Amino acid sequence: MEIFKNVPEIKYEGPESKNPLAFKYYDAEKVVMGKPMKEHLPFAMAWWHNLCATGVDMFGRGVADKSFGAKEGTMEHAKAKVDAGFEFMQKLGIKYFCFHDVDLVPEADDIKETNRRLDEISDYILEKMKGTDIKCLWGTANMFGNPRFMNGAGSSNSADVFAFAAAQVKKALDITVKLGGRGYVFWGGREGYETLLNTDVKFEQENIARLMKMAVEYGRSIGFKGDFYIEPKPKEPMKHQYDFDAATAIGFLKAHGLDKDFKLNIEANHATLAGHTFEHDLRISAINGMLGSIDANQGDMLLGWDTDEFPFDVYTSTMCMYEVLKAGGLTGGFNFDAKNRRPSYTQEDMFMGFILGMDTFALGLIKAAELIEDGRIDEFVKERYSSYYNTEIGKKILNNNTNLKELAEYADSLGKPELPGSGRQEMLEGIVNSVLFK
Ligand code: XLS
Ligand code: CA
Ligand code: CA
């Protein structure tokens, strides 16, 4: 039974098209830098925003009808969401989905019943996957919504809560592996603290690492070959979150010997909440060999919270794709962890959000490829550091073949150095504009 009756299959019509239900830039088969767009951009649908969220906020109840013809809170509804999700992905040509355990089924009072429901729904999803080329990008456990997680999961002060978190991770891994997921995500959720007055930070961080180690051990034992991901976020819901940003998460992974099994899932809105640009956190992940996956959304620079908007800022998507192309792609994909604004509550809006996001990233890909092919930025950066390659003293520094004494003598012989060459920021920004708007 068709659920989105007013929405046809979404096709590429090109930038001149005025059809709101068509792609203007995302042309799945179009080859960019030797690969079709669909391979550069493995897009994913986030179960929670797209199939569950109704627009509830602190001040008002839901406005979007996500019942899909079934009574909410039932297994019929859980299945209706699967039907809706698959029709939605197929109409958009999206090949991946991401989920939390409790996005898939209503959580029961007893974990045994929740797990039974998860078995039932994952059978249903698996059946749906057959005959389509839709796959699971990553799964995760929601360890922040239930009241038991008020003080975190791995970082909880309660050993019983830790055990429940472990049980949820185990089951979410089972389901992820069953559905062939490429990755498994740990977003900190409430892994952080409100006040040091009641918190043993060292104890909590070591316990989070313990939970992650157990996850790696169990995941590998059931045949999970993909990457585990940490998704950094600086704040919200907790005041201090332990996985503040890419650099913090990488330090944590290295300190606990988890860096071989984990990469990062970088969300644009989280990077900007941490006071960074999206591309900064991508670069930090990439240079550490840890750029795994992306949660594609954007925040609002005028608001200090996690607004999870569909991305439309082409400047940022270009800079993102520039980093991704330079890093040689992702092991994961581009998950639209994004929701419609509350007043955009219709089924058509659900599609328009994804069309916007997919077009924004397609345009970013095209423009990033043009920037790389243009070559002026790369050339400039190379030249900017050339004194380390072109001069004797530079080569000695790079080869670890000198010391403070020799460098001090060299400085004495110079008297004073020339000023370093101009950074030419404005010229470079002009190049970006000329490529973006040509
Ligand atoms: C919340 C996070 C969350 C993760 C998955 O801010 O973005 O949705 O992506 O738990
Ligand atoms: Ca996210
Ligand atoms: Ca977010």
Side-chain angles (χ1 to χ4, degrees):
M1 197 189 64
E2 194 180 15
I3 293 173
F4 302 101
K5 293 203 180 64
N6 296 330
V7 184
E9 195 182 310
I10 308 298
K11 302 225 168 68
Y12 171 73
E13 291 185 3
E16 304 302 319
S17 169
K18 300 274 190 298
N19 177 1
L21 291 173
F23 295 119
K24 320 297 181 299
Y25 302 98
Y26 181 66
D27 181 3
E29 303 301 333
K30 183 187 161 87
V31 174
V32 179
M33 290 183 92
K35 265 201 317 199
M37 274 195 179
K38 63 178 184 196
E39 284 177 31
H40 281 290
L41 298 168
F43 290 127
M45 176 193 76
W47 214 269
W48 53 103
H49 281 316
N50 202 45
L51 303 173
C52 309
T54 57
V56 175
D57 73 9
M58 308 258 255
F59 301 96
R61 48 183 188 268
V63 292
D65 180 1
K66 300 264 172 94
S67 62
F68 306 119
K71 187 168 178 303
E72 290 179 55
T74 64
M75 282 305 281
E76 285 63 47
H77 182 231
K79 287 179 184 164
K81 289 198 294 184
V82 177
D83 296 341
F86 274 76
E87 183 186 324
F88 185 86
M89 289 185 275
Q90 279 172 307
K91 283 187 166 168
L92 280 160
I94 288 186
K95 306 292 182 213
Y96 293 92
F97 60 87
C98 301
F99 69 89
H100 299 87
D101 45 4
V102 302
D103 303 334
L104 300 181
V105 292
E107 192 176 7
D109 277 343
D110 187 313
I111 190 169
K112 292 190 285 302
E113 171 58 13
T114 308
N115 287 347
R116 192 202 60 72
R117 293 178 187 177
L118 283 168
D119 289 337
E120 185 182 335
I121 205 71
S122 49
D123 285 344
Y124 191 72
I125 296 174
L126 210 50
E127 210 38 52
K128 275 267 169 187
M129 286 167 75
K130 289 187 188 143
T132 75
D133 51 1
I134 292 175
K135 302 184 195 68
C136 172
L137 185 65
W138 52 257
T140 187
N142 178 323
M143 304 194 292
F144 44 89
N146 191 294
R148 65 177 166 268
F149 296 123
M150 64 173 69
N151 300 327
S155 65
S156 178
N157 56 306
S158 154
D160 279 357
V161 172
F162 186 101
F164 263 71
Q168 268 184 256
V169 170
K170 175 175 180 289
K171 191 67 186 176
L173 269 165
D174 287 336
I175 304 294
T176 302
V177 170
K178 176 171 170 184
L179 300 178
R182 261 164 106 154
Y184 184 88
V185 163
F186 280 89
W187 166 56
R190 294 182 196 271
E191 312 288 34
Y193 68 91
E194 294 297 323
T195 172
L196 279 177
L197 295 175
N198 64 12
T199 304
D200 185 336
V201 172
K202 184 167 186 286
F203 184 93
E204 294 198 355
Q205 293 203 352
E206 284 170 1
N207 258 3
I208 295 171
R210 276 193 186 99
L211 182 59
M212 289 179 175
K213 276 182 199 155
M214 289 182 211
V216 170
E217 205 177 275
Y218 180 73
R220 299 304 179 214
S221 81
I222 59 166
F224 176 63
K225 302 220 164 41
D227 288 320
F228 288 86
Y229 300 122
I230 281 190
E231 180 182 323
K233 183 175 183 180
K235 57 189 167 193
E236 198 198 354
M238 301 309 259
K239 180 163 132 187
H240 298 274
Q241 302 244 157
Y242 292 134
D243 301 328
F244 189 92
D245 61 1
T248 312
I250 291 167
F252 173 85
L253 290 171
K254 291 195 169 159
H256 295 281
L258 289 158
D259 50 315
K260 298 284 170 292
D261 293 283
F262 275 79
K263 290 192 165 61
L264 300 186
N265 180 39
I266 298 298
E267 178 175 316
N269 200 166
H270 296 180
T272 52
L273 283 175
H276 302 308
T277 59
F278 182 23
E279 55 269 29
H280 168 88
D281 258 18
L282 295 171
R283 178 74 62 95
I284 296 296
S285 309
I287 62 174
N288 284 283
M290 288 209 187
L291 177 56
S293 205
I294 283 179
D295 268 12
N297 63 13
Q298 75 180 47
D300 186 319
M301 293 308 166
L302 301 182
L303 303 173
W305 64 92
D306 192 17
T307 56
D308 285 350
E309 298 175 30
F310 281 99
F312 87 107
D313 174 352
V314 176
Y315 185 89
T316 299
S317 68
T318 301
M319 291 303 144
C320 163
M321 291 314 298
Y322 187 81
E323 296 303 322
V324 171
L325 287 173
K326 292 261 174 184
L330 303 173
T331 52
F334 296 81
N335 168 43
F336 287 110
D337 191 354
K339 59 185 178 207
N340 289 105
R341 296 306 84 196
R342 193 165 182 263
S344 306
Y345 62 90
T346 73
Q347 289 192 341
E348 289 87 337
D349 290 306
M350 292 169 67
F351 284 86
M352 289 175 195
F354 274 75
I355 292 170
L356 172 67
M358 291 164 80
D359 271 342
T360 300
F361 271 84
L363 203 44
L365 168 65
I366 294 168
K367 293 296 165 185
E370 285 176 17
L371 273 178
I372 291 171
E373 278 157 4
D374 175 276
R376 278 177 288 171
I377 292 182
D378 276 342
E379 195 47 47
F380 184 83
V381 174
K382 202 169 138 216
E383 178 56 31
R384 188 157 181 256
Y385 295 91
S386 61
S387 62
Y388 287 91
Y389 303 97
N390 296 343
T391 66
E392 284 314 306
I393 203 73
K395 285 185 209 159
K396 280 190 162 183
I397 295 171
L398 278 197
N399 295 332
N400 302 317
N401 205 9
T402 184
N403 52 44
L404 287 190
K405 194 161 164 282
E406 187 183 20
L407 291 172
E409 281 161 13
Y410 176 76
D412 279 351
S413 75
L414 276 186
K416 70 173 187 186
E418 304 263 325
L419 285 180
S422 165
R424 295 265 189 269
Q425 182 170 335
E426 298 76 8
M427 179 195 81
L428 295 164
E429 288 168 344
I431 293 175
V432 173
N433 275 353
S434 71
V435 168
L436 276 181
F437 299 105
K438 75 175 171 217

